[in-house]
């Protein structure tokens, strides 16, 4: 899908941003004032060949970039592209050979839970305290290091050919410029191979677990990786010599897109999964969250994520055959508490704060009189309860959360935003543009290539609305949160047995 809007006939300075997401790739062409001139998107699917595996062919990332760039440029013939921004889901592990051909599909972020044995063994070998001291976080399904070790142990033929490590943004930067770089924020999630305080690769552990892989050069997200090569220009239509930024993981780029990357900010991203990023100056360590480098020098992040959010609502939509407007209207009628339903949203395991890849979805209280609207309401409330669990865990770890900015496709439905504010008791600020990480990537490219004073994101994307919690629902949701926590603890042993049965059936 592509949309173009009015533009000047004479050339105007523009930046192009592309983000590779879990369910789609999105591109945007933006002028120097932040006006969106054209947007384009490509839907794609991930592969789930076994229970707990989530993969994607990395070659699709470049193919979709080429397609998006061509359509965006064609939509605005008066555009003079002066910079290119890239971002993508992560942390992903895409290993390529010396010719930059992928040796296997990319292993995705924390939703892929295959490396449990490697997590356990590496923790035993290195020590949990030392891993947290060096990398900031304990090893979980989000960590890149155990996934590299999994390939080395389980797929020796692929491992024998592997020479380079990429994530979506760095893969695009490589294809566009020929430079082999990775941003610090992404690198800090290749735990335990990155030293968060020294802001460099941990050479000893890199050699131990990723020996034959050439370590990419580390830069910051908004730095310029290089310039578009002649070959890339011929494929994409982007002029040769145009600067390309290093880029970073989509959640962090999305935080940039709404100005939620300053100290004291919390970005709450509504997407296929839910993601939270709190920004500060100190390295906060807690076993149940992810400590990472920030997107920019001098910042640190405490991050978390739900394994399902939009994926859960999409599952219900597909299951019931209804469309989203119908389900939202029926969920509104259902009302707070979903007429006595309580759902655990762990349909793909769960990331933070329980860090339990064997968690599974639970729907408690079902009766014959319940409707699909009740189920949809319970799903919205389940994700909101997960957000509250994460926020409370962050604050307990010392995070100073002063403002919350909501972003992502899920912000288009105001009911979901209201439910999250009601359950958490937090005010959410909503920006004018919620197009996402592609817009943030275009902004970073504009800053990196600015002539004179660089743009400010508050001018490109001002806050236009605040969602405030309804005080009359507070007591109900406080009680529901207590039940939510109790339901997980009470059912997890049985659920873990069922998860094991699912793996056996899948095998």
């Amino acid at each position: 899908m592509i949309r173009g809007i009015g533009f000047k006939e004479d050339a105007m300075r523009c930046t192009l941003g592309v983000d590779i997401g879990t369910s789609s790739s999105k591109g945007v062409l933006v002028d120097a004032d932040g006006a969106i001139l054209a947007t384009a998107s490509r839907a794609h699917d991930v592969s789930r060949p076994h229970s707990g595996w989530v993969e994607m062919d990395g070659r699709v990332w470049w193919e979709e970039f080429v397609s998006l760039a061509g359509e965006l440029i064609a939509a605005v013939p008066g555009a003079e592209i002066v910079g290119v921004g890239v971002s993508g889901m992560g942390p992903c592990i895409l290993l390529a050979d010396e010719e930059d051909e992928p040796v296997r599909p990319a292993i995705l972020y924390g939703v892929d839970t295959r490396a449990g044995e490697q997590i356990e063994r590496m923790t035993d070998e290195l020590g949990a305290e030392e891993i947290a001291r060096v990398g900031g976080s304990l090893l979980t399904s989000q960590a890149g290091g155990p996934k590299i070790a999994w390939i080395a142990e389980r797929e020796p033929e692929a491992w024998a050919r592997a020479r380079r490590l990429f994530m979506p943004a760095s893969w695009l930067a490589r294809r566009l410029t020929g430079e082999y770089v990775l941003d610090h924020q992404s690198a800090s999630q290749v735990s335990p191979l990155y030293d968060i305080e020294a802001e460099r690769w941990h050479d000893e552990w890199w050699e131990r677990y990723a020996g034959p892989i050439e370590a990419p050069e580390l830069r910051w997200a908004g730095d310029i990786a290089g310039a578009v090569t002649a070959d890339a220009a011929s494929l994409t239509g982007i002029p040769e010599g145009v600067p390309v930024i290093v880029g970073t993981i989509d959640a962090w780029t999305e935080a940039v897109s709404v100005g939620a990357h300053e100290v004291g900010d919390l970005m709450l991203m509504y997407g296929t999964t839910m993601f939270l990023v709190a920004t500060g100056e100190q390295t906060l360590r807690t076993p149940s969250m992810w400590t990472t480098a920030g997107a920019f020098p001098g910042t640190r992040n405490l991050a978390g994520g739900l394994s399902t959010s939009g994926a859960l609502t999409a599952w219900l939509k597909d299951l019931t055959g209804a469309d989203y407007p119908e389900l939202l209207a029926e969920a509104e009628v259902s009302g707070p508490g979903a007429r006595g339903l309580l759902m655990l949203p762990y349909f793909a395991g769960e990331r933070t704060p329980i860090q339990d890849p064997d968690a599974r979805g639970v729907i408690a209280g079902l009766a014959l009189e319940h409707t699909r609207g009740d189920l949809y309401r319970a799903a919205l409330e389940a994700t909101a309860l997960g957000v509250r669990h994460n926020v409370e865990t962050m604050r307990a770890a010392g995070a100073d959360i002063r403002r919350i900015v909501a972003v992502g496709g899920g912000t288009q439905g105001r009911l979901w935003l209201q439910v999250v504010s009601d359950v958490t008791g937090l005010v959410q600020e909503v920006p004018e543009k919620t197009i996402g990480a592609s817009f943030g990537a275009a902004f970073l490219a504009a800053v990196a290539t600015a002539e004179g004073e660089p743009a400010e994101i508050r001018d490109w994307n001002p806050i236009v609305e605040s969602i405030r919690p309804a005080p009359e629902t507070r007591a109900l949701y406080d009680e529901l949160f207590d039940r939510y926590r109790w339901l997980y603890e009470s059912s997890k042993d049985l659920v873990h047995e069922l998860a094991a049965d699912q793996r056996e059936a899948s095998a």
Side-chain angles (χ1 to χ4, degrees):
M1 175 192 81
I2 187 159
R3 177 178 61 86
I5 62 177
F7 55 87
K8 304 172 185 176
E9 291 297 328
D10 55 320
M12 62 186 122
R13 289 176 59 86
C14 298
T15 52
L16 186 150
V18 171
D19 173 66
I20 308 296
T22 306
S23 57
S24 66
S25 295
K26 298 176 182 177
V28 63
L29 196 62
V30 184
D31 74 10
D33 296 320
I36 297 172
L37 304 177
T39 64
S41 64
R42 295 288 182 276
H44 55 234
D45 294 319
V46 297
S47 173
R48 301 177 186 270
H50 300 285
S51 178
W53 293 28
V54 188
E55 305 181 341
M56 191 173 178
D57 183 352
R59 289 170 294 197
V60 172
W61 304 340
W62 174 241
E63 292 167 3
E64 292 187 345
F65 179 93
V66 171
S67 176
L68 291 168
E71 290 207 21
L72 291 168
I73 291 169
V76 190
E80 176 195 359
I81 298 176
V82 299
V84 177
V86 291
S87 75
M89 58 187 166
C92 299
I93 299 300
L94 177 65
L95 299 185
D97 63 18
E98 58 187 18
E99 303 297 327
D100 288 336
E101 287 297 322
V103 302
R104 71 169 325 280
I107 301 176
L108 268 55
Y109 49 97
V111 295
D112 185 294
T113 59
R114 75 183 70 192
E117 292 180 10
Q118 288 72 27
I119 290 170
E120 185 175 348
R121 193 190 73 250
M122 292 169 76
T123 301
D124 289 341
E125 291 174 353
L126 303 176
E129 289 187 8
E130 186 65 4
I131 289 171
R133 185 191 69 79
V134 171
S137 303
L138 300 180
L139 298 183
T140 69
S141 66
Q142 186 80 351
K147 295 175 182 181
I148 295 173
W150 185 93
I151 297 172
E153 294 171 23
R154 298 294 186 89
E155 298 181 346
E157 291 185 3
W159 181 248
R161 294 187 291 120
R163 294 294 179 271
R164 296 189 183 99
L165 165 67
F166 295 100
M167 296 191 194
S170 65
W171 179 250
L172 297 182
R174 176 70 167 181
R175 293 286 178 173
L176 286 164
T177 70
E179 297 296 326
Y180 181 46
V181 295
L182 187 68
D183 68 287
H184 284 274
Q185 200 291 313
S186 298
S188 70
Q189 298 202 54
V190 190
S191 307
L193 308 185
Y194 178 89
D195 187 327
I196 193 167
E197 298 298 353
E199 295 180 342
R200 61 174 176 81
W201 295 116
H202 191 287
D203 294 336
E204 179 184 346
W205 290 355
W206 183 281
E207 182 63 28
R208 182 169 182 173
Y209 295 108
I213 308 297
E214 176 190 354
E217 179 185 343
L218 294 174
R219 300 185 194 173
W220 295 97
D223 291 348
I224 293 176
V228 173
T229 65
D231 286 345
S234 67
L235 290 170
T236 64
I238 301 169
E240 182 180 357
V242 169
V244 180
I245 64 164
V246 175
T248 187
I249 291 173
D250 55 4
W252 279 258
T253 315
E254 195 139 12
V256 170
S257 79
V258 295
H261 58 282
E262 303 293 339
V263 173
D265 288 347
L266 174 71
M267 187 276 298
L268 181 56
M269 184 178 77
Y270 293 75
T272 305
T273 66
M274 188 82 80
F275 211 86
L276 306 90
V277 181
T279 300
E281 295 175 312
Q282 295 181 318
T283 304
L284 301 176
R285 291 173 170 84
T286 177
S288 55
M289 306 298 290
W290 306 316
T291 300
T292 74
F296 306 104
T299 60
R300 294 288 183 269
N301 294 127
L302 196 59
L306 280 65
S307 292
T308 65
S309 56
L312 178 55
T313 57
W315 174 77
L316 276 169
K317 179 181 77 72
D318 294 342
L319 195 67
T320 61
D323 59 26
Y324 286 122
E326 288 178 300
L327 290 168
L328 285 167
E330 293 170 13
E332 186 100 54
V333 171
S334 176
R339 297 202 306 140
L341 287 186
L342 175 60
M343 184 183 294
L344 300 183
Y346 311 143
F347 284 56
E350 187 54 297
R351 297 187 286 172
T352 62
I354 64 173
Q355 301 285 12
D356 185 356
D358 283 346
R360 291 294 183 270
V362 173
I363 305 174
L366 272 173
L368 291 175
E369 59 265 26
H370 282 118
T371 67
R372 66 188 184 186
D374 298 325
L375 284 169
Y376 199 76
R377 177 82 188 207
L380 298 180
E381 292 180 343
T383 60
L385 291 161
V387 170
R388 176 169 173 172
H389 198 182
N390 275 274
V391 169
E392 291 191 359
T393 305
M394 285 178 164
R395 283 181 161 159
D400 178 18
I401 298 172
R402 304 171 198 168
R403 64 190 288 263
I404 297 174
V405 183
V407 69
T411 60
Q412 302 301 317
R414 284 300 184 263
L415 177 60
W416 198 358
L417 286 169
Q418 189 62 57
V419 169
V420 170
S421 281
D422 290 348
V423 169
T424 62
L426 301 170
V427 177
Q428 297 176 84
E429 296 183 357
V430 183
E432 180 180 76
K433 302 180 182 77
T434 58
I435 190 170
S438 59
F439 186 74
F443 172 77
L444 289 176
V447 171
T449 58
E451 293 181 341
E453 194 70 22
E456 296 279 351
I457 193 62
R458 62 174 174 265
D459 297 324
W460 274 39
N461 197 12
I463 298 296
V464 294
E465 185 178 4
S466 294
I467 307 296
R468 300 185 176 278
E472 62 271 19
T473 65
R474 185 65 186 177
L476 182 152
Y477 283 131
D478 283 347
E479 182 178 14
L480 202 64
F481 183 65
D482 290 340
R483 290 174 173 174
Y484 173 86
R485 297 288 304 276
W486 179 89
L487 181 59
Y488 166 69
E489 293 297 336
S490 301
S491 64
K492 67 179 180 181
D493 289 344
L494 172 60
V495 164
H496 288 173
E497 292 177 9
L498 295 172
D501 292 345
Q502 292 166 10
R503 281 193 297 275
E504 184 176 344
S506 174

